[in-house]
Amino acid sequence: MNDLDPATFLTPLLTPEGRALLDAVRGTEPARELAVATRLRRDHPAPLVSAAMAQARLRQRAAAKFGAADAERMFFTPNGVEQSTRTTVATYRAERMRALGVASVADLCCGIGGDAIALARAGIRVLAVDRDPLTAAVARANAVALGLADLVEVREADVTEVDASPYDAVFVDPARRGGRGRIFDPEAYSPPLSWAVATALTSPRAALKIAPGIPHEAIPAEAEAEWISDGGDVKEAVLWFGTGAAGAVRATLLPGPRTLVGRDLPDPEVRTVGRYLYEPDGAVIRAHLVAEVAAELDGGGLIDPTIAYVTADALRPLPYATAYEITDRLPFNVKKLKALLREREVGILTVKKRGSAVEPEELRKKVKPQGRNSATVFLTRVAGAPTMLIGHPA
């Protein structure tokens, strides 16, 4: 819930004077904020100037998620910027909804409207619902600002009391943050995951956005589970209902999209480290599809039964994993690594870890890389032993 009042935080900015102020403060650098605010307060009410400056800062933060063109027209709350879906992910999900034949969606827990905007731009009619007055007001203002008010109806209400039956599909994005930060128990979501699942099962189609760290055993049998990454960063998991693929698991990588579908393969065998090391995308790892990556490689296997690194003797470019050519394998020893890097004149060092307690920055300070060459070191385990693998992108 937001503690801010729409009447003071948002409504004044929707007036002609407020919009003019937003234009005046657009792109203000942090170092100039005080001077700009002082100048504007000579001709405008101080609370309105403060609201415009706050909104300008939020728009600058939001540009990374929404793109500068949209962010400069939209309205945000601090929680909304933090919790809203990245546009690339929302657009992908909306396009998948459209491909499933969905023409109308009840967007429950709509937040500031990021997903509703993507759905509307895909030509889908949206009922966007949020119980927080300011959040609902911001979602409504955003639909208007982006010219989507004809497709997006915003309603301030408790989502558990909304009748979603007139809509082709339901989308639920439960709140996963509380006063103490992230919430990891799905039943502590607001509303709880069990309620969202029960609601999804009453609709012809449904998508539930959940934390990517959800245990696989918590996924209902009726759902298709999809993990999504964007630019290599895992963003979310989605439980899909009504797709005809109950029980299926998939990992989708953006941009693309490139989707890897699970084939229920057994765990790959453990083998000696080959010439190449493959680092699966985070969405692939979260979806437990490392075996599918290994199956794409001739002789592909794991370097350790508990580590999600795949090794092979031949190079084969894969869209779901990054390949590295391994030049050296050493037992974990900082002095030996420092000597090797000095000999190779490595000054640009990328440190990756999986199954190691050593922090990359800590290691980088100890080895003090210097030189004109670059290298990547993997701090990991090989057949249970702490190991350093040195190489470079293939």
Side-chain angles (χ1 to χ4, degrees):
M1 298 285 286
N2 288 290
D3 296 326
L4 301 171
D5 178 9
T8 57
F9 185 81
L10 177 67
T11 304
L13 296 177
L14 301 178
T15 65
E17 183 181 12
R19 292 182 184 278
L21 270 177
L22 285 172
D23 290 338
V25 301
R26 178 184 300 162
T28 300
E29 297 177 359
R32 296 188 61 246
E33 284 186 0
L34 180 59
V36 171
T38 301
R39 174 175 55 81
L40 291 174
R41 285 180 182 133
R42 296 169 187 160
D43 302 308
H44 303 280
L48 181 57
V49 173
S50 296
M53 295 299 298
Q55 195 59 229
R57 287 192 294 269
L58 291 172
R59 286 177 168 182
Q60 290 174 1
R61 286 174 52 196
K65 280 189 175 182
F66 290 87
D70 279 353
E72 287 179 357
R73 293 186 289 164
M74 293 173 66
F75 297 88
F76 300 95
T77 65
N79 287 342
V81 173
E82 179 71 24
Q83 299 175 19
S84 58
T85 304
R86 184 178 292 265
T87 291
T88 49
V89 179
T91 298
Y92 161 74
R93 195 190 305 107
E95 291 296 335
R96 190 170 182 207
M97 282 268 197
R98 184 172 66 172
L100 289 168
V102 171
S104 61
V105 172
D107 178 1
L108 309 179
C109 309
C110 69
I112 62 171
D115 285 285
I117 289 166
L119 289 163
R121 283 177 166 167
I124 297 172
R125 183 170 55 87
V126 185
L127 170 66
V129 183
D130 202 285
R131 68 178 180 177
D132 179 67
L134 175 59
T135 302
V138 169
R140 187 176 296 109
N142 285 336
V144 172
L146 298 179
L148 299 168
D150 290 344
L151 282 170
V152 180
E153 174 194 349
V154 179
R155 186 181 303 173
E156 180 190 327
D158 185 330
V159 297
T160 63
E161 299 174 359
V162 172
D163 178 14
S165 61
Y167 297 86
D168 296 341
V170 167
F171 173 67
V172 187
D173 181 6
R176 298 185 300 282
R177 284 183 180 271
R180 298 183 178 179
R182 292 183 184 274
I183 296 172
F184 297 98
D185 178 7
E187 284 308 295
Y189 292 174
S190 180
L193 180 60
S194 57
W195 177 88
V197 170
T199 301
L201 292 174
T202 66
S203 179
R205 303 272 193 279
L208 311 182
K209 177 181 171 181
I210 55 175
I214 186 171
H216 280 233
E217 56 268 24
I219 296 172
E222 302 91 341
E224 172 195 359
E226 179 178 34
W227 279 260
I228 302 173
S229 68
D230 186 15
D233 295 328
V234 182
K235 294 301 179 183
E236 65 183 53
V238 185
L239 302 183
W240 293 90
F241 297 80
T243 64
V249 174
R250 49 198 275 159
T252 296
L253 284 58
L254 303 176
R258 302 183 300 278
T259 296
L260 179 65
V261 179
R263 292 182 280 158
D264 198 24
L265 298 178
D267 291 340
E269 293 185 0
V270 177
R271 52 153 292 174
T272 57
V273 177
R275 182 175 178 182
Y276 296 96
L277 187 74
Y278 293 81
E279 181 183 28
D281 183 90
V284 172
I285 295 172
R286 294 279 194 174
H288 295 181
L289 298 181
V290 174
E292 278 71 9
V293 170
E296 296 288 324
L297 303 168
D298 185 18
L302 299 177
I303 63 171
D304 184 278
T306 63
I307 302 295
Y309 282 137
V310 178
T311 188
D313 297 316
L315 176 63
R316 180 179 179 185
L318 296 177
Y320 313 109
T322 303
Y324 295 83
E325 184 174 9
I326 300 303
T327 56
D328 300 270
R329 170 183 171 180
L330 303 172
F332 182 80
N333 186 300
V334 175
K335 288 185 178 180
K336 288 184 178 180
L337 176 63
K338 185 175 182 178
L340 184 146
L341 296 177
R342 186 185 301 117
E343 177 186 336
R344 304 278 173 84
E345 297 184 4
V346 171
I348 304 172
L349 182 66
T350 300
V351 182
K352 292 177 172 285
K353 56 172 271 184
R354 189 162 291 160
S356 172
V358 179
E359 292 300 325
E361 279 307 313
E362 176 187 340
L363 179 71
R364 194 176 283 107
K365 289 178 182 178
K366 289 181 177 179
V367 299
K368 300 176 181 178
Q370 292 181 349
R372 56 188 175 83
N373 297 320
S374 61
T376 300
V377 58
F378 295 87
L379 305 179
T380 187
R381 291 195 305 271
V382 174
T387 302
M388 300 181 297
L389 302 176
I390 298 92
H392 53 80

